[in-house]
Amino acid sequence: MRIATFTALALVTSILSSFGQPKQIAPRDANQPAAKDPAFEPVTDDPRLPRVLLIGDSISICYTVPVRTLLKGKANVHSIPDIGGPTTNGLVNLRQWLGDSKWDVIHFNWGLHDLRIMPDGERQVAPEVYEKNLRELVRQLKATGAKLIWASTTPVPQPEEKLGVKRRSADVPVYNTIAKNVMDENQIAIDDLYSFALPRLAEIQLPVNVHFNPEGSVVLAKSVTAIIESVLPGKSQ
Protein backbone atom coordinates (compact mmCIF):
# COMPACT_ATOMS: atom_id res chain seq x y z
CA MET A 1 0.00 0.00 0.00
CA ARG A 2 1.34 3.44 -0.88
CA ILE A 3 1.81 5.44 2.33
CA ALA A 4 3.33 8.66 1.02
CA THR A 5 1.09 11.65 0.63
CA PHE A 6 1.90 14.56 -1.66
CA THR A 7 2.40 16.76 1.38
CA ALA A 8 4.82 14.38 3.07
CA LEU A 9 6.88 13.99 -0.09
CA ALA A 10 6.99 17.74 -0.63
CA LEU A 11 8.26 18.24 2.91
CA VAL A 12 10.93 15.58 2.50
CA THR A 13 12.00 17.15 -0.80
CA SER A 14 12.45 20.51 0.91
CA ILE A 15 14.51 18.84 3.64
CA LEU A 16 16.82 17.18 1.11
CA SER A 17 17.36 20.40 -0.80
CA SER A 18 18.29 22.29 2.36
CA PHE A 19 21.38 20.18 3.10
CA GLY A 20 24.80 20.61 1.64
CA GLN A 21 27.80 18.64 2.74
CA PRO A 22 27.80 17.14 6.25
CA LYS A 23 29.62 19.16 8.86
CA GLN A 24 30.57 19.12 12.54
CA ILE A 25 27.94 20.93 14.56
CA ALA A 26 28.86 23.34 17.34
CA PRO A 27 26.90 23.31 20.62
CA ARG A 28 23.56 24.97 20.08
CA ASP A 29 22.82 28.28 21.78
CA ALA A 30 19.58 27.89 23.73
CA ASN A 31 18.62 31.43 22.66
CA GLN A 32 19.14 30.71 18.96
CA PRO A 33 15.89 30.88 16.94
CA ALA A 34 14.43 27.54 15.90
CA ALA A 35 15.41 26.27 12.47
CA LYS A 36 12.86 26.73 9.70
CA ASP A 37 13.15 23.17 8.40
CA PRO A 38 9.92 21.18 9.02
CA ALA A 39 11.85 18.42 10.79
CA PHE A 40 13.09 20.96 13.35
CA GLU A 41 9.73 22.58 14.04
CA PRO A 42 8.69 22.43 17.70
CA VAL A 43 6.18 19.72 18.49
CA THR A 44 3.19 20.47 20.67
CA ASP A 45 2.69 17.32 22.68
CA ASP A 46 -0.62 15.57 23.10
CA PRO A 47 -0.27 14.62 26.79
CA ARG A 48 -2.21 11.41 26.17
CA LEU A 49 0.49 10.09 23.84
CA PRO A 50 4.02 8.76 24.46
CA ARG A 51 7.02 10.91 23.53
CA VAL A 52 9.55 9.76 20.93
CA LEU A 53 12.93 11.37 20.17
CA LEU A 54 14.83 10.84 16.90
CA ILE A 55 18.60 11.39 17.05
CA GLY A 56 20.71 11.16 13.91
CA ASP A 57 22.32 12.88 10.96
CA SER A 58 20.70 14.33 7.85
CA ILE A 59 19.41 10.86 6.88
CA SER A 60 17.22 10.84 9.99
CA ILE A 61 16.18 14.45 9.47
CA CYS A 62 14.85 13.50 6.04
CA TYR A 63 12.65 10.72 7.46
CA THR A 64 11.47 12.69 10.50
CA VAL A 65 8.42 14.28 8.85
CA PRO A 66 7.18 11.00 7.32
CA VAL A 67 7.63 9.25 10.68
CA ARG A 68 5.55 11.97 12.33
CA THR A 69 2.87 11.45 9.70
CA LEU A 70 2.85 7.67 10.18
CA LEU A 71 2.74 7.93 13.99
CA LYS A 72 0.16 10.71 14.09
CA GLY A 73 -2.31 9.98 16.87
CA LYS A 74 0.01 7.32 18.30
CA ALA A 75 3.06 9.27 19.51
CA ASN A 76 4.55 12.75 19.81
CA VAL A 77 7.61 12.54 17.53
CA HIS A 78 10.44 15.00 18.23
CA SER A 79 13.81 15.48 16.54
CA ILE A 80 17.00 16.95 17.90
CA PRO A 81 17.40 20.59 16.74
CA ASP A 82 20.57 19.98 14.70
CA ILE A 83 22.32 17.37 12.58
CA GLY A 84 23.68 14.85 15.06
CA GLY A 85 27.12 14.74 13.42
CA PRO A 86 29.81 12.34 14.70
CA THR A 87 29.86 10.77 18.16
CA THR A 88 32.16 13.55 19.34
CA ASN A 89 29.36 16.01 18.64
CA GLY A 90 26.89 13.78 20.45
CA LEU A 91 29.05 13.79 23.56
CA VAL A 92 29.01 17.59 23.57
CA ASN A 93 25.28 18.02 22.93
CA LEU A 94 23.40 14.94 24.12
CA ARG A 95 22.45 16.21 27.57
CA GLN A 96 21.00 19.37 26.05
CA TRP A 97 19.13 17.39 23.37
CA LEU A 98 17.59 15.15 26.03
CA GLY A 99 16.54 18.07 28.21
CA ASP A 100 14.58 17.50 31.40
CA SER A 101 11.44 15.94 29.91
CA LYS A 102 10.59 12.26 29.96
CA TRP A 103 11.15 10.24 26.79
CA ASP A 104 9.35 6.95 26.19
CA VAL A 105 11.32 5.90 23.09
CA ILE A 106 14.63 7.15 21.65
CA HIS A 107 15.63 6.05 18.14
CA PHE A 108 19.27 7.02 17.59
CA ASN A 109 22.28 6.76 15.29
CA TRP A 110 25.84 8.02 14.86
CA GLY A 111 28.29 6.74 12.28
CA LEU A 112 28.11 8.34 8.84
CA HIS A 113 30.01 11.40 10.05
CA ASP A 114 32.41 9.35 12.19
CA LEU A 115 33.67 7.37 9.21
CA ARG A 116 34.10 10.45 7.00
CA ILE A 117 37.61 10.66 5.52
CA MET A 118 39.35 13.89 6.47
CA PRO A 119 42.01 15.78 4.44
CA ASP A 120 44.79 13.91 6.28
CA GLY A 121 43.36 10.59 5.04
CA GLU A 122 42.17 9.52 8.49
CA ARG A 123 38.58 8.91 9.52
CA GLN A 124 36.96 11.75 11.44
CA VAL A 125 36.53 9.39 14.41
CA ALA A 126 38.67 6.25 14.42
CA PRO A 127 36.86 2.92 15.03
CA GLU A 128 38.30 2.42 18.52
CA VAL A 129 37.32 5.97 19.52
CA TYR A 130 33.90 5.48 17.95
CA GLU A 131 33.34 2.46 20.18
CA LYS A 132 34.45 4.34 23.29
CA ASN A 133 32.24 7.33 22.46
CA LEU A 134 29.27 5.13 21.65
CA ARG A 135 29.53 3.35 24.99
CA GLU A 136 29.38 6.67 26.82
CA LEU A 137 26.44 7.87 24.71
CA VAL A 138 24.58 4.64 25.41
CA ARG A 139 25.28 5.03 29.13
CA GLN A 140 23.68 8.49 29.07
CA LEU A 141 20.74 7.31 26.98
CA LYS A 142 20.03 4.34 29.25
CA ALA A 143 19.86 6.72 32.21
CA THR A 144 16.71 8.27 30.67
CA GLY A 145 14.74 5.07 31.22
CA ALA A 146 13.44 5.27 27.64
CA LYS A 147 13.11 2.30 25.31
CA LEU A 148 16.19 2.59 23.10
CA ILE A 149 16.48 1.68 19.42
CA TRP A 150 19.76 1.86 17.52
CA ALA A 151 19.56 2.56 13.78
CA SER A 152 22.46 1.08 11.83
CA THR A 153 24.31 3.47 9.53
CA THR A 154 23.01 3.46 5.96
CA PRO A 155 25.20 2.50 2.98
CA VAL A 156 27.78 4.67 1.23
CA PRO A 157 27.15 4.26 -2.51
CA GLN A 158 29.55 3.50 -5.32
CA PRO A 159 31.55 4.96 -7.02
CA GLU A 160 32.74 6.42 -3.73
CA GLU A 161 35.51 8.48 -5.37
CA LYS A 162 32.81 10.69 -6.88
CA LEU A 163 31.19 11.55 -3.55
CA GLY A 164 31.33 15.18 -2.51
CA VAL A 165 32.40 14.16 0.99
CA LYS A 166 34.91 11.32 1.01
CA ARG A 167 33.81 8.06 2.61
CA ARG A 168 34.58 4.39 2.01
CA SER A 169 31.66 2.03 1.50
CA ALA A 170 33.63 -0.77 3.18
CA ASP A 171 33.87 1.25 6.40
CA VAL A 172 30.11 1.19 7.00
CA PRO A 173 29.93 -2.53 7.95
CA VAL A 174 32.99 -2.04 10.18
CA TYR A 175 31.34 0.74 12.15
CA ASN A 176 27.99 -1.06 12.16
CA THR A 177 29.62 -4.17 13.62
CA ILE A 178 31.16 -2.09 16.41
CA ALA A 179 27.78 -0.52 17.12
CA LYS A 180 25.97 -3.87 17.03
CA ASN A 181 28.33 -5.31 19.62
CA VAL A 182 27.71 -2.32 21.92
CA MET A 183 23.94 -2.57 21.45
CA ASP A 184 23.85 -6.33 21.99
CA GLU A 185 25.84 -5.97 25.21
CA ASN A 186 23.30 -3.41 26.40
CA GLN A 187 20.24 -5.31 25.12
CA ILE A 188 19.23 -2.44 22.83
CA ALA A 189 16.96 -3.12 19.86
CA ILE A 190 18.45 -2.56 16.40
CA ASP A 191 16.67 -1.04 13.41
CA ASP A 192 18.95 -2.43 10.69
CA LEU A 193 18.51 0.32 8.11
CA TYR A 194 21.75 -0.73 6.42
CA SER A 195 20.47 -4.20 5.50
CA PHE A 196 17.03 -2.77 4.77
CA ALA A 197 18.36 -0.16 2.32
CA LEU A 198 21.25 -2.04 0.68
CA PRO A 199 19.31 -4.22 -1.80
CA ARG A 200 17.16 -1.31 -2.98
CA LEU A 201 19.71 1.51 -3.19
CA ALA A 202 19.19 1.99 -6.93
CA GLU A 203 15.55 2.84 -6.29
CA ILE A 204 15.72 4.81 -3.04
CA GLN A 205 19.12 6.56 -2.85
CA LEU A 206 20.15 9.66 -4.77
CA PRO A 207 22.82 9.07 -7.45
CA VAL A 208 26.35 9.16 -6.02
CA ASN A 209 25.04 10.57 -2.74
CA VAL A 210 24.63 9.18 0.77
CA HIS A 211 21.19 10.82 0.99
CA PHE A 212 17.94 9.29 -0.18
CA ASN A 213 15.37 10.52 -2.65
CA PRO A 214 11.96 11.59 -1.28
CA GLU A 215 10.42 8.18 -1.88
CA GLY A 216 13.46 6.58 -0.24
CA SER A 217 13.10 8.68 2.90
CA VAL A 218 9.49 7.55 3.15
CA VAL A 219 10.60 3.91 2.70
CA LEU A 220 13.11 4.32 5.55
CA ALA A 221 10.39 5.98 7.62
CA LYS A 222 8.30 2.81 7.32
CA SER A 223 11.06 0.75 8.96
CA VAL A 224 11.65 3.38 11.64
CA THR A 225 7.93 3.66 12.37
CA ALA A 226 7.40 -0.09 12.60
CA ILE A 227 10.07 -0.67 15.21
CA ILE A 228 9.10 2.42 17.24
CA GLU A 229 5.46 1.40 17.21
CA SER A 230 6.39 -2.08 18.43
CA VAL A 231 7.88 -0.69 21.67
CA LEU A 232 5.44 2.10 22.46
CA PRO A 233 3.93 1.93 25.95
CA GLY A 234 0.93 -0.39 25.99
CA LYS A 235 2.27 -2.61 23.20
CA SER A 236 2.80 -6.26 24.14
CA GLN A 237 6.48 -7.14 23.91
Side-chain angles (χ1 to χ4, degrees):
M1 180 178 68
R2 183 179 177 85
I3 62 166
T5 64
F6 177 82
T7 300
L9 286 174
L11 289 172
V12 175
T13 302
S14 70
I15 294 168
L16 283 168
S17 65
S18 68
F19 285 98
Q21 295 184 350
K23 60 182 180 179
Q24 175 103 8
I25 307 299
R28 186 178 180 85
D29 183 345
N31 296 317
Q32 181 179 345
K36 299 297 184 182
D37 195 292
F40 296 139
E41 288 181 357
V43 173
T44 301
D45 283 338
D46 180 339
R48 300 169 297 177
L49 301 178
R51 302 181 77 241
V52 175
L53 178 63
L54 303 180
I55 299 176
D57 52 33
S58 52
I59 306 300
S60 74
I61 292 166
C62 289
Y63 60 62
T64 292
V65 173
V67 169
R68 281 186 186 144
T69 299
L70 291 167
L71 287 176
K72 186 175 181 179
K74 299 177 182 178
N76 303 300
V77 179
H78 297 252
S79 173
I80 59 172
D82 288 309
I83 300 174
T87 50
T88 48
N89 190 60
L91 291 173
V92 172
N93 289 290
L94 182 58
R95 294 186 188 279
Q96 184 172 346
W97 291 339
L98 293 174
D100 299 323
S101 301
K102 179 183 183 297
W103 297 106
D104 295 288
V105 180
I106 300 175
H107 184 282
F108 67 106
N109 165 268
W110 286 276
L112 201 56
H113 286 247
D114 294 83
L115 56 82
R116 176 181 176 179
I117 306 301
M118 306 306 287
D120 62 1
E122 299 296 324
R123 302 173 181 100
Q124 182 160 207
V125 178
E128 63 275 13
V129 181
Y130 176 71
E131 179 176 1
K132 179 183 177 182
N133 293 349
L134 207 51
R135 289 186 183 281
E136 173 58 22
L137 290 164
V138 165
R139 186 192 68 79
Q140 293 182 34
L141 288 166
K142 288 180 72 173
T144 68
K147 292 278 188 180
L148 302 180
I149 302 168
W150 167 256
S152 60
T153 297
T154 49
V156 169
Q158 300 281 1
E160 56 195 36
E161 64 271 12
K162 293 187 177 181
L163 294 172
V165 175
K166 190 173 181 181
R167 295 179 171 92
R168 301 187 188 102
S169 57
D171 279 344
V172 183
V174 172
Y175 280 68
N176 277 340
T177 297
I178 291 170
K180 183 180 187 302
N181 291 338
V182 173
M183 302 311 146
D184 286 348
E185 290 173 14
N186 287 276
Q187 299 181 312
I188 293 172
I190 296 176
D191 184 3
D192 192 359
L193 293 181
Y194 177 86
S195 297
F196 180 77
L198 189 62
R200 44 178 70 85
L201 285 185
E203 292 77 34
I204 68 175
Q205 197 170 48
L206 292 169
V208 198
N209 197 311
V210 296
H211 295 94
F212 293 80
N213 60 41
E215 289 279 6
S217 291
V218 174
V219 169
L220 293 180
K222 292 172 65 177
S223 177
V224 174
T225 298
I227 194 166
I228 289 174
E229 193 168 4
S230 73
V231 301
L232 288 177
K235 294 284 185 179
S236 57
Q237 305 299 311

